[in-house]
Amino acid sequence: MARGEAGGVLDVRLLGRVAVRTAAGWRDDWPRPAARRLVALLALSPARSAPREVIADHLFGHLPTDRALRNVSKALSQARTVVGPGVLLGDSVTVWIAGTVEVRTDLARDTELAQRALDSPPPSAVWPELRAVLARADQLLSEDLYEDWAQEERRAHGVLARETALALARSSGREADWSRVLADDPCDAEAWEAVLTAAAARGPAELDTAWAECRLVHAQELRRPPPPPLRRLAEGREERGERADGPDLTVGHEAELGWLAERVPAAARGGESWLLHGPAGIGKTHLLRGAARDLRDQGCLVRWATCVADDKGGPFTPLVSALRLGHTGSRPVIEALERGRPGSPQGWSAVRLADDVAAVLDAYAEPLALVVDDVHWADAALRSLLSRLCTLTNGRRWSLLLAGRSDESDHPLPTVPSTTATLRITPLTSRETARLARRLIDQDRATDPVASESVVQSLVARSGGNPFFLTELARGAGGAPVVGGDIPERIHVLLRRRLSPLSTTSRQVLEVLTLAAERATVPLLVHVVGEQEVDRALGELRSHSLLDPVSPAPRPVHPLLREVVVADLTAVRACELHDQLAHALGHLAGETGRRDLEEAAAGHTLAAWTAYPTGERAPGAAAAGLTSGGRVLRAFAPEAAARILEQALAAFADSTAEARRHLRAAAVDGWLDLGRCRLLLGDPEGAERALRAGLGLAEQPLERARCYRRLAGLHYRTGRMAETAGVLEVGLLAVTDELARAVLETELGWTLHRRGRALEALPILERATRVFEDGGSWDLAAWSLDYLAMTHVALGAPEHGLTLLDRALARDGVGADHHRRGVILIHRGRVLLQLGSLDAALGAVEEGIRILRRSRDRYVLSVGLRIAADVHEARGDPAGAVRARTEELNLLRGTANHRHAAVAQAHLASLYRRLGRPEEADRAAHAAQDAVERSADPDVAEEVARRLADGNTAGTPDS
């Protein structure tokens, strides 16, 4: 077979998304998956070649042979468009990479590094590289996890990675590296020896936790206890009392700490029994460990035992190690405990066993506290023994301290007598949770305090006052706080196990509650599940402590429980549930006439498509989302509106041509709304992309005019009036419809006004206003009347301008909180100021600013503050004027509107001089000059120079 002529190097990435490096950089934009797979197959082949029949079998084995071979040819052609010419060659039999091309893969580099580690102990210099190799090992061909041809390569690389992990751990000795070994082989004795030794160095509590985990893993994986050498290691370390207490992160729980502090002295002398209980992760073990430290400080010997689920060592295993330590007397009772059950040839009964265990505790030479944690996992026989021991503590030199979860309905706590002191551990308050979160993420060292505090607030919301959940979220994987949708594995495992006993119906009800969120009500559940089923399911959920006991409506007990439920939903299941909720909410909206339920139904219709996009669902999802997104935007929630609109427009794009034709007008509105969202969120580039997408879709003249108007507004907001006029003039050339032209002429007239050409603007605005009013377009008329009024004011007719503004308010057909009404009001305040009605001016401006704050439009709000500054100054309140101008400048920061910033700084300079603050006045004056230079606008330069020269900057240009 003839080899082609090519040369150079072909870099192929096989770990993660398959990609090749070309002259244009890394490319992974494969036309079809088969092209990507073909390149991966050839790169993995030692000969860099493969017969066509083999490729056909690997990639298209489900197709007839002739079709499969044709598809190989297509894949080859498509792959060539990515890798370039002369690299991939083929004839009628074989496909290969040109022999003159050197192929380099990330897999080969990682394999070489791993192999060297196996040949000889790796030096410390390469440990970081090896850890990176191991971290990405499971990403080999990650896009083709379930392709048969990829399995052998993944298996072989997995074996190499496991051997390398062991070599690295032996060389470094670090606990994290041994933990990676345990991730591959959970019962590796060598790894557990290293982990237990490291835990012992950190203190007895850490050793106990590690030993409990070791026992649990062996019970789950091998169904037997850990081997004797590991048991002897754990017990020996504990007996020597190796410890290294770390920093105390206790925050909150003041009542619980006070309760413990009162009882520790008595418990240290003996004769006490306690039971600490509360939900998983609430802080029982942490508080108990603190009490254990205090007991040791008072000379009390502490023996700690932890129960684990399904302990294969026997029901009494948690007590055996604790009782064996330091006990030199007769051992029959310990041997009976090791055998696993009372009732032996010696005739032990449950009562006698408790008495004999008490005698063993009596035999210690010093006061003793036996601490048993996680007693909810205790076997029924051990629970019975602990209950009996609680009745025997009075008058003894030992105390019994228990702790366990109260939310494990299938695993009850031991029954305790009334003489046992009980303490329920409650969640942290929001303030306490925030304090702990700041400690955990080391906020004092944060380089961005605002971003750091945002992380803290996210952690507070997700953790729900649960210290364990908070700690896991704050530390996350690799030490970075988990603030997105990810859930740390330990939390996921704990909560998923809580859900495992639920019946199918109860699980469905919990899923509906989770997805319905604040809309979840019993009537809604009845519509989805059925009345009788709902009653039974809610009862079961309450019995498992999975519902909030305080909320009047059914709600999951914890935010992370909701997240776990969502994370465990398949795409198909999520789609089904959203469909059911959309139908049920629509039915309830029809019954009650509630608009909010109608919008919620639309949201679930869109969510169903988002969860499982299909062509037949797309049109309904698009229609619902476009309507809902617009409403949310007009309710002053641009972030939420943007998310909805993006999904709705994606559904529109996924719809059939016929469906898109019907939805086209709504999609244009959607792009315009998304553009406004982006603008409000400080993303002018994103706003322009959205508006141009809408313009590309617009067919009707008014639609195109609206798009051009919004595009021109992007320039207007940055003070670029010439560019604003240019966009509007292009729009006027593109439309001939009278109403559409009036829309653009209104903005063009206002732009001319702002450029000092009010007399030229006047007839344009008068003509546009007539078109709107004659056609009954009241909203548009209010907008043009506002511009017309301010143009008359600029031409020396403020009284006539005020009349037109009042007419605009009467014509305005929107709600009292619409941002256009806010603009009209601040303009009205400007005119009243000019007419000398200072109190009325202040009232109009303040009402306008109130509305504009809700709209979250930074630019228009800055205009209102500019006018407010002038009103305050005219009223003899320079300090109020300074506050308004300072807030205006904060809003303008980052907008590149140097024109407005220059005038604002010049006004501040004047105000500071009047207030006797010369240094601040000089800084403002310099800032004004800098802004003038950046604006490169001679009109602005002239205006600022004049105002700085005469020291009077009242009456700055209007918006």
Side-chain angles (χ1 to χ4, degrees), residues 117-447:
L118 296 182
D119 294 340
S120 60
S124 59
V126 303
W127 291 349
E129 285 186 85
L130 282 175
R131 293 186 183 110
V133 167
L134 296 172
R136 59 178 173 257
D138 65 346
Q139 293 301 303
L140 176 61
L141 302 174
S142 60
E143 297 166 293
D144 297 302
L145 291 178
Y146 305 110
E147 295 291 321
D148 290 342
W149 63 271
Q151 299 310 308
E152 180 57 30
E153 294 292 342
R154 286 179 55 82
R155 187 199 64 77
H157 194 56
V159 170
L160 177 64
R162 287 192 290 274
E163 293 173 349
T164 304
L166 186 58
L168 172 62
R170 287 170 174 167
S171 179
S172 73
R174 294 186 178 179
E175 186 178 2
D177 293 329
W178 283 112
S179 295
R180 184 178 286 109
V181 174
L182 289 174
D184 294 324
D185 182 0
C187 296
D188 185 282
E190 185 180 0
W192 272 116
E193 180 181 354
V195 169
L196 291 170
T197 301
R202 295 193 299 271
E206 292 290 336
L207 174 60
D208 178 75
T209 299
W211 177 233
E213 184 177 357
C214 179
R215 286 162 44 210
L216 179 60
V217 167
H218 280 76
Q220 292 174 337
E221 298 290 330
L222 302 179
R223 303 193 68 79
R224 63 171 181 264
L230 291 181
R231 187 190 70 190
R232 289 193 293 271
L233 171 68
E235 293 172 354
R237 295 280 184 179
E238 183 177 348
E239 192 165 14
R240 289 194 293 275
E242 298 179 9
R243 58 184 294 180
D245 292 337
D248 185 5
L249 291 177
T250 303
V251 170
H253 284 149
E254 301 297 336
E256 291 88 340
L257 289 169
W259 188 94
L260 291 168
E262 288 180 4
R263 287 165 175 77
V264 161
R269 295 190 297 270
E272 293 287 310
S273 61
W274 304 347
L275 173 62
L276 277 59
H277 62 97
I282 204 64
K284 303 177 296 296
T285 300
H286 179 75
L287 292 170
L288 201 57
R289 284 174 177 168
R293 286 194 299 270
D294 295 341
L295 288 166
R296 290 190 185 98
D297 291 342
Q298 298 205 18
C300 181
L301 180 65
V302 176
R303 291 288 179 241
W304 190 289
T306 301
C307 304
V308 299
D310 195 25
D311 198 329
K312 299 304 176 185
F316 303 114
T317 300
L319 294 185
V320 171
S321 298
L323 294 178
R324 185 187 290 112
L325 293 178
H327 178 61
T328 57
S330 174
R331 299 176 59 90
V333 64
I334 297 178
E335 293 169 358
L337 292 173
E338 287 180 324
R339 280 197 297 272
R341 296 285 175 189
S344 69
Q346 287 77 15
W348 261 289
S349 67
V351 174
R352 179 185 167 187
L353 185 61
D355 291 340
D356 287 347
V357 169
V360 170
L361 298 174
D362 288 339
Y364 279 82
E366 53 194 318
L368 168 73
L370 176 60
V371 181
V372 187
D373 196 14
D374 288 343
V375 291
H376 54 278
W377 295 131
D379 183 273
L382 178 55
R383 290 202 305 272
S384 176
L385 173 60
L386 294 173
S387 298
R388 174 67 180 166
L389 287 174
C390 283
T391 67
L392 300 178
T393 57
N394 189 33
R396 309 272 186 162
R397 298 182 67 249
W398 51 269
S399 296
L400 179 62
L401 315 180
L402 311 177
R405 298 177 193 167
S406 56
D407 55 357
E408 297 283 350
S409 59
D410 294 339
H411 300 277
L413 296 170
T415 303
V416 296
S418 59
T419 54
T420 296
T422 60
L423 173 65
R424 176 173 178 79
I425 315 300
T426 57
L428 301 176
T429 66
S430 296
R431 186 182 297 246
E432 292 165 347
T433 307
R435 283 173 50 206
L436 179 55
R438 294 185 187 106
R439 289 194 196 179
L440 291 169
I441 67 171
D442 201 5
Q443 192 183 59
D444 290 342
R445 298 185 181 182
T447 57

Side-chain angles (χ1 to χ4, degrees), residues 552-869:
R555 297 285 185 272
V557 71
H558 195 278
L560 285 175
L561 179 62
R562 295 194 291 269
E563 293 187 27
V564 167
V565 171
V566 171
D568 286 349
L569 291 175
T570 66
V572 174
R573 179 60 179 155
C575 178
E576 291 174 350
L577 289 166
H578 282 299
D579 264 345
Q580 292 170 1
L581 282 167
H583 178 77
L585 285 164
H587 186 84
L588 289 172
E591 289 181 344
T592 61
R594 287 175 54 183
R595 186 69 170 271
D596 60 325
L597 295 182
E598 182 182 337
E599 292 184 7
H604 285 289
T605 299
L606 180 58
W609 176 83
T610 305
Y612 193 69
T614 59
E616 61 270 19
R617 292 181 182 276
L626 291 169
T627 302
S628 178
R631 289 174 180 166
V632 172
L633 171 61
R634 280 170 274 287
F636 313 113
E639 296 100 332
R643 288 194 299 270
I644 295 170
L645 290 166
E646 285 170 350
Q647 294 171 350
L649 289 165
F652 170 79
D654 206 34
S655 301
T656 64
E658 179 66 15
R660 288 199 303 274
R661 185 173 66 80
H662 288 293
L663 290 169
R664 187 199 54 76
V668 172
D669 288 340
W671 283 117
L672 289 170
D673 285 341
L674 182 58
R676 178 154 182 79
C677 290
R678 291 280 168 244
L679 191 61
L680 293 175
L681 296 172
D683 179 15
E685 293 84 5
E688 182 171 2
R689 288 194 297 271
L691 296 175
R692 292 202 177 278
L695 180 60
L697 198 60
E699 295 178 358
Q700 300 301 317
L702 187 57
E703 293 172 347
R704 297 182 66 79
R706 291 168 61 211
C707 293
Y708 279 116
R709 176 195 171 202
R710 295 283 185 88
L711 285 166
L714 297 178
H715 297 293
Y716 177 88
R717 286 167 176 263
T718 58
R720 294 176 293 174
M721 297 301 164
E723 290 87 342
T724 303
V727 173
L728 293 169
E729 288 166 357
V730 169
L732 284 167
L733 292 174
V735 298
T736 57
D737 176 79
E738 184 181 50
L739 184 61
R741 290 185 64 82
V743 167
L744 296 173
E745 286 175 342
T746 300
E747 289 295 345
L748 181 60
W750 183 245
T751 304
L752 292 171
H753 169 139
R754 294 301 309 279
R755 299 179 73 184
R757 296 156 63 182
L759 194 59
E760 188 179 344
L762 188 62
I764 297 175
L765 291 169
E766 287 177 335
R767 182 171 61 249
T769 301
R770 278 196 303 272
V771 170
F772 295 144
E773 291 195 314
D774 290 348
S777 302
W778 304 124
D779 292 351
L780 295 174
W783 159 51
S784 64
L785 281 167
D786 178 31
Y787 288 176
L788 181 60
M790 299 309 292
T791 303
H792 277 288
V793 172
L795 292 171
E799 294 87 353
H800 184 52
L802 186 62
T803 301
L804 291 174
L805 287 171
D806 289 340
R807 194 163 124 204
L809 288 171
R811 289 283 186 264
D812 191 24
V814 297
D817 281 344
H818 193 279
H819 85 281
R820 182 171 60 239
R821 179 172 288 268
V823 171
I824 296 172
L825 284 168
I826 61 171
H827 283 168
R828 192 170 187 274
R830 160 68 68 199
V831 177
L832 289 168
L833 170 64
Q834 191 168 340
L835 292 171
S837 301
L838 300 186
D839 290 343
L842 183 62
V845 169
E846 288 183 342
E847 176 62 12
I849 288 176
R850 182 194 67 78
I851 295 172
L852 296 175
R853 286 193 192 283
R854 287 200 62 200
S855 75
R856 298 178 60 177
D857 190 321
R858 294 168 64 89
Y859 171 78
V860 179
L861 178 58
S862 75
V863 173
L865 291 163
R866 180 194 325 162
I867 297 171

